[in-house]
Amino acid sequence: MEKQVKEIGTCPLCGGKVIKTCKGYRCENGIGENASCSFYINGIIGNRRMSDDEIKELILKKELMLDGFATKEWKTFPTVLILDDKGEVKMESKIGKCPVCGGDIRIGSKAFNCSNYNNDSDPCKFVIWRNIFGHSMTLGEVRELCRDEITSNEIELFGEDGSLSVKRLGISPDKTKVIKV
């Protein structure tokens, strides 16, 4: 009986097929005696088991925002996984610069916060909630808000009365909140 191989995507290093193994995801050209490719992603990253679909998306888009990672002490945290040009996976919590003070915007469990929020002399209160008007913010949308102070695309948003509208999101003129534009 022939062993069935589950193909996950295309290897970013050599163009071979990325397949699921017992411990993770490896390029087919990195298996066996004549292995020629070093591409490998562990099946568990940051004490979190990765799904096949998450690995497919990471290989395709080169970055992926996810929740549920944990420290050795089992404190959970969200992060952005980045697949670099060498085929290595890195974790990154910084996703942009604060439009108010220039600090780093970091991903949190409920919001994207300025790293200067704890600054004793001049705390920054800038925040972008991860769910705004019933919409789960994407990494691209948050980066646009930080960089351009407005999203380029319209988004389906809910009103307090449950009505649906299609609007862009922007930073308020006083830079204290995200508003419908």
Side-chain angles (χ1 to χ4, degrees):
M1 188 157 95
E2 193 173 310
K3 188 174 160 181
Q4 183 136 24
V5 176
K6 184 166 186 175
E7 183 179 342
I8 301 299
T10 302
C11 176
L13 300 181
C14 75
K17 294 177 186 171
V18 174
I19 57 173
K20 185 174 186 174
T21 66
C22 62
K23 293 188 177 183
Y25 303 86
R26 184 176 297 281
C27 177
E28 66 182 347
N29 297 322
I31 298 172
E33 291 179 25
N34 299 322
S36 61
C37 184
S38 62
F39 184 76
Y40 174 75
I41 298 175
N42 198 322
I44 297 175
I45 299 173
N47 292 317
R48 181 189 190 280
R49 182 169 304 283
M50 302 299 296
S51 75
D52 296 350
D53 288 338
E54 290 167 344
I55 296 297
K56 279 181 187 179
E57 190 172 346
L58 179 61
I59 291 170
L60 185 65
K61 295 181 178 177
K62 306 293 185 233
E63 66 179 10
L64 182 62
M65 182 174 65
L66 294 170
D67 293 301
F69 295 94
T71 65
K72 290 178 183 175
E73 296 79 26
W74 293 103
K75 182 181 178 200
T76 60
F77 64 94
T79 195
V80 176
L81 296 179
I82 297 174
L83 183 61
D84 70 16
D85 294 339
K86 297 176 187 170
E88 296 175 9
V89 177
K90 311 272 190 225
M91 288 183 167
E92 182 59 65
S93 64
K94 295 182 278 185
I95 60 156
K97 291 293 181 186
C98 178
V100 175
C101 73
D104 292 325
I105 295 294
R106 296 181 180 272
I107 181 175
S109 59
K110 295 181 182 174
F112 300 91
N113 301 297
C114 179
S115 60
N116 288 325
Y117 71 95
N118 274 344
N119 186 329
D120 291 334
S121 61
D122 190 21
C124 182
K125 304 223 185 292
F126 183 77
V127 63
I128 298 173
W129 295 102
R130 288 187 59 182
N131 188 305
I132 298 176
F133 304 114
H135 172 73
S136 292
M137 297 297 291
T138 68
L139 194 55
E141 291 164 348
V142 173
R143 285 185 174 146
E144 279 184 326
L145 284 172
C146 292
R147 184 185 61 239
D148 306 329
E149 298 187 13
I150 193 165
T151 58
S152 58
N153 295 320
E154 292 183 328
I155 301 166
E156 286 189 352
L157 306 167
F158 289 94
E160 300 232 352
D161 61 357
S163 63
L164 184 64
S165 62
V166 179
K167 303 266 184 182
R168 291 169 47 181
L169 292 175
I171 305 295
S172 64
D174 62 0
K175 296 187 180 185
T176 59
K177 59 187 169 194
V178 175
I179 59 172
K180 296 177 187 178
V181 180

